[in-house]
Amino acid sequence: MAKYNELANAIRALSMDSVQKANSGHPGAPLGMADMAEALWRGFMRHNPKNPKWPNRDRFVLSNGHASMLIYSVLHLTGYDLSIEDLKQFRQLGSKTPGHPEYGEVPGVETTTGPLGQGIANAVGMALAEAVLAKQFNREGFDIVDHYTYAFLGDGCLMEGISHEVCSLAGTLGLGKLIALYDSNGISIDGEVKGWFGDDTAERFRAYHWQVIEVADGNDADQVRAAIELARADLTRPSLIVCHTEIGHGSPNKGGKSASHGAPLGDEEIALTRKQIGWNYPPFEIPEHVYKAWNAVEKGEKLEAEWNALFDKYAAAYPELAAEFKRRIAGELPADLADKARKFALDLQQNPAKIATRKAGQNALDFFAPLLPEFIGGSADLAPSNLTMTKESESIAPHVIKGNYIHWGVREFAMAACMNGILLHGGFRPYGGTFLIFSEYARNAIRMSALMKIPTLYVFTHDSIGVGEDGPTHEPVEQTATLRMVPNLDTWRPCDQVETAAAWTCMLERKDGPSDIVLTRQGLEQMPRTEAQVDAIAKGGYVLKDCAGTPDLIIIGTGSEVALAFHAAEQLEQEGKKVRVVSMPCVEVFERQDAAYQESVLPKAVRARVAVEAGVTQGWYKYVGMDGAVLGLDTYGASGPADKLFVKFGFTVENLVKVCRSVL
């Protein structure tokens, strides 16, 4: 008969009872990983349940987030603000125990997981952040940044392509304080994975330059503890601990089978499981001695108190560094940043330049980088094209984890998901670049940052048919529009260097969600503005060019098409028409303005409206109405010089004037 660990059985009991009460969930993985969790959380995790945001805590990521009752059980048992009543409300509307762990909703949950593979990517970002932050702030005798990142992951995470991207990078960089525990049970929803997942995972990770440790019986906590000790002893490589486990461990009839993966065990099987594992307590009852053995409050408060004492000494020796550390961990911007940023934009307005907005973006980064040491940038192997490197950039190299610039390689999804992990760790404002067309590869991680309401920054260049000779495979048509469809994501498409600078300021000031900026390859004419108009850019949409009295027509433009709108308006004015031009660099920010401001920019009385953007037209009918017109691109592009492509697809002043006449 198998040996069952009473402390791990507490996780099993809470997990199967909660799933059963909800009549929904995944009991198999928590039952199978319970011993892994007991070994890690009771033996190694440095954390304080009374302060889930203690800066020097170890980070734990449950990458296979469908096993959410595992982490909910552990958080409850160790003393976090997650009660037995919360567990009884598993998967119910408004509860603190949603179906997958959600950052910001559950105390102690470091990141939202569920889309498989992204959790391990977040963990790589967290481990990278820890290493860089330690280089920036630690001083001899004062290791104020010194913690591990642990992740649990399963077969599904390792099948997802993102796991290859991030684990390859983690091994190359040598992130020695990253330890992943792999729940190798060989079962997924469809059954035994050997029919579709025949990888030699251990050899794969050795090829990535990871330390690989095999645990013959992952349901033996002592074996897992010994493996974690080995992993922690090697700081030159990340470690993968392969724990050979049984899904649904303890269930007599469903253990080792896909039947335990994604459905309640059932009352009868739960009763048999209780008997099998020797758990003689009713549902949701944990004996006091088990609570006492699990409770981590006293230990956690002691660990944090020791760290606080160390930090006080650090602050006495290095007061400026200590103040900077506190600011960065709190996610606060320097107090004078807004004033300096405004002056920067106004100065640019006084010094017109026809440059690509990708170059304007680099100029903005050059301005902000010395003011924001928390900046950590990067590009998916496109730094010379995205222009994401600044004068302050110092490349991070393998096993030399210092600097502030990450060469992500051709790994767009990894870049976006790791940046989420860096931001969640604290102390940094990460930004990363790629071509707009390849935002598709990063899309789910972008969505996750929006869902988590974290201010990750994305730089997308080569934003239209202006890509030119690379042709339709590289020319984004629908990408800007679909980014605008992501809830809680701000998408900026500036028309010149001034709007680019203002957009970067708004992106940096935002705290409750991510932002992306969409930039051109080709040079753009700078628009004339007053000081008030420069300030109005921050409202997402504003009147760039106006007329006397009520307009006959409003033209709305973004990015490279704003100049078209401006010059089309000039020509229509020569024909006696009264025309207003509205630049709308960020639809989402404009829609957050009050109704009065929106009416002042786009008065309902003016029904003749035209929008122009070198992309799909659908989203613009909200602003122009069914009687209005949109000059856009609802087909794919072509290969050829950019200037000829704009003519071919009708993005000329003459054609825009023709479209405008059609609605007047």
Side-chain angles (χ1 to χ4, degrees), residues 70-309:
L70 175 88
I71 191 169
Y72 297 156
S73 299
V74 168
L75 293 173
H76 168 72
L77 291 166
T78 53
Y80 284 79
D81 183 19
L82 202 65
S83 70
I84 201 75
E85 292 303 315
D86 291 323
L87 301 192
K88 290 179 180 179
Q89 293 302 307
F90 178 55
R91 286 185 163 233
Q92 302 310 299
L93 183 64
S95 78
K96 289 169 68 176
T97 48
H100 291 83
E102 293 186 26
Y103 172 77
E105 301 296 326
V106 189
V109 167
E110 300 282 3
T111 181
T112 299
T113 56
L116 293 177
Q118 284 201 64
I120 183 61
N122 295 161
V124 171
M126 291 174 186
L128 180 56
E130 189 274 342
V132 177
L133 201 66
K135 287 287 186 183
Q136 292 181 355
F137 284 97
N138 287 355
R139 296 295 183 268
E140 186 175 353
F142 295 105
D143 288 342
I144 62 166
V145 181
D146 183 15
H147 56 264
Y148 283 83
T149 301
Y150 299 98
F152 279 11
L153 65 161
D155 293 302
C157 291
L158 293 178
M159 285 186 239
E160 288 285 0
I162 190 173
S163 73
H164 295 259
E165 294 183 30
V166 299
C167 293
S168 166
L169 181 64
T172 299
L173 293 176
L175 299 177
K177 294 172 82 173
L178 171 64
I179 298 175
L181 289 87
Y182 165 34
D183 175 37
S184 179
N185 61 42
I187 297 292
S188 68
I189 296 176
D190 281 3
E192 295 185 18
V193 302
K194 62 184 179 183
W196 50 87
F197 183 52
D199 300 18
D200 186 334
T201 298
E203 287 304 309
R204 168 186 157 191
F205 274 77
R206 289 189 183 101
Y208 290 156
H209 310 296
W210 285 53
Q211 176 184 209
V212 177
I213 303 164
E214 300 251 10
V215 175
D217 184 359
N219 296 120
D220 182 337
D222 290 335
Q223 290 187 34
V224 178
R225 269 188 283 273
I228 297 172
E229 289 279 14
L230 284 174
R232 287 166 56 92
D234 187 348
L235 293 178
T236 66
R237 299 175 290 174
S239 295
L240 179 74
I241 301 174
V242 182
C243 299
H244 297 282
T245 64
E246 178 187 47
I247 191 173
H249 187 62
S251 172
N253 298 303
K254 296 186 177 182
K257 300 176 182 177
S258 62
S260 69
H261 176 91
L265 296 179
D267 290 331
E268 184 178 342
E269 186 66 16
I270 287 175
L272 292 172
T273 303
R274 276 184 153 77
K275 183 177 179 180
Q276 173 92 349
I277 67 178
W279 187 260
N280 301 313
Y281 308 98
F284 297 104
E285 183 177 311
I286 304 294
E288 193 57 37
H289 71 277
V290 172
Y291 270 130
K292 185 176 180 181
W294 267 106
N295 193 286
V297 172
E298 183 178 348
K299 180 183 177 182
E301 289 182 331
K302 182 175 182 290
L303 288 170
E304 183 173 357
E306 291 172 350
W307 183 84
N308 287 338

Side-chain angles (χ1 to χ4, degrees), residues 19-34:
V19 171
Q20 188 65 29
K21 187 175 188 301
N23 196 30
S24 172
H26 300 78
L31 268 65
M33 293 192 293

Side-chain angles (χ1 to χ4, degrees), residues 205-481:
F205 274 77
R206 289 189 183 101
Y208 290 156
H209 310 296
W210 285 53
Q211 176 184 209
V212 177
I213 303 164
E214 300 251 10
V215 175
D217 184 359
N219 296 120
D220 182 337
D222 290 335
Q223 290 187 34
V224 178
R225 269 188 283 273
I228 297 172
E229 289 279 14
L230 284 174
R232 287 166 56 92
D234 187 348
L235 293 178
T236 66
R237 299 175 290 174
S239 295
L240 179 74
I241 301 174
V242 182
C243 299
H244 297 282
T245 64
E246 178 187 47
I247 191 173
H249 187 62
S251 172
N253 298 303
K254 296 186 177 182
K257 300 176 182 177
S258 62
S260 69
H261 176 91
L265 296 179
D267 290 331
E268 184 178 342
E269 186 66 16
I270 287 175
L272 292 172
T273 303
R274 276 184 153 77
K275 183 177 179 180
Q276 173 92 349
I277 67 178
W279 187 260
N280 301 313
Y281 308 98
F284 297 104
E285 183 177 311
I286 304 294
E288 193 57 37
H289 71 277
V290 172
Y291 270 130
K292 185 176 180 181
W294 267 106
N295 193 286
V297 172
E298 183 178 348
K299 180 183 177 182
E301 289 182 331
K302 182 175 182 290
L303 288 170
E304 183 173 357
E306 291 172 350
W307 183 84
N308 287 338
L310 176 68
F311 190 83
D312 287 343
K313 293 178 182 177
Y314 176 80
Y318 304 100
E320 291 182 0
L321 274 177
E324 181 70 0
F325 181 82
K326 286 182 177 180
R327 179 188 71 79
R328 286 175 55 174
I329 290 296
E332 301 294 338
L333 294 174
D336 59 351
L337 186 74
D339 290 340
K340 290 180 177 179
R342 181 174 185 268
K343 183 178 184 303
F344 174 59
L346 291 172
D347 287 346
L348 289 176
Q349 187 63 51
Q350 298 303 312
N351 295 281
K354 181 176 181 179
I355 59 173
T357 50
R358 62 169 173 163
K359 179 59 181 174
Q362 185 178 46
N363 292 343
L365 289 173
D366 275 333
F367 170 77
F368 284 112
L371 306 176
L372 295 171
E374 59 264 46
F375 250 177
I376 186 165
S379 175
D381 201 49
L382 287 168
S385 294
N386 297 148
L387 302 183
T388 43
M389 293 193 84
T390 75
K391 296 172 184 176
E392 302 287 321
S393 292
E394 178 187 354
S395 295
I396 293 170
H399 301 282
V400 187
I401 312 301
K402 66 174 184 176
N404 59 6
Y405 195 85
I406 307 160
H407 296 277
W408 294 104
V410 187
R411 300 183 179 100
E412 295 87 358
F413 194 1
M415 175 180 71
C418 287
M419 285 199 300
N420 287 342
I422 291 171
L423 195 139
L424 289 164
H425 176 277
F428 293 102
R429 287 300 302 274
Y431 67 89
T434 187
F435 288 171
L436 176 59
I437 193 71
F438 301 134
S439 65
E440 299 288 354
Y441 286 141
R443 182 58 61 95
N444 202 263
I446 297 169
R447 181 180 187 271
M448 293 299 285
S449 59
L451 180 63
M452 289 190 279
K453 302 177 183 177
I454 58 173
T456 314
L457 303 170
Y458 305 98
V459 179
F460 299 129
T461 69
H462 296 61
D463 72 336
S464 68
I465 52 173
V467 171
E469 291 85 352
D470 279 335
T473 60
H474 284 55
E475 291 167 0
V477 174
E478 73 277 23
Q479 281 67 34
T480 300

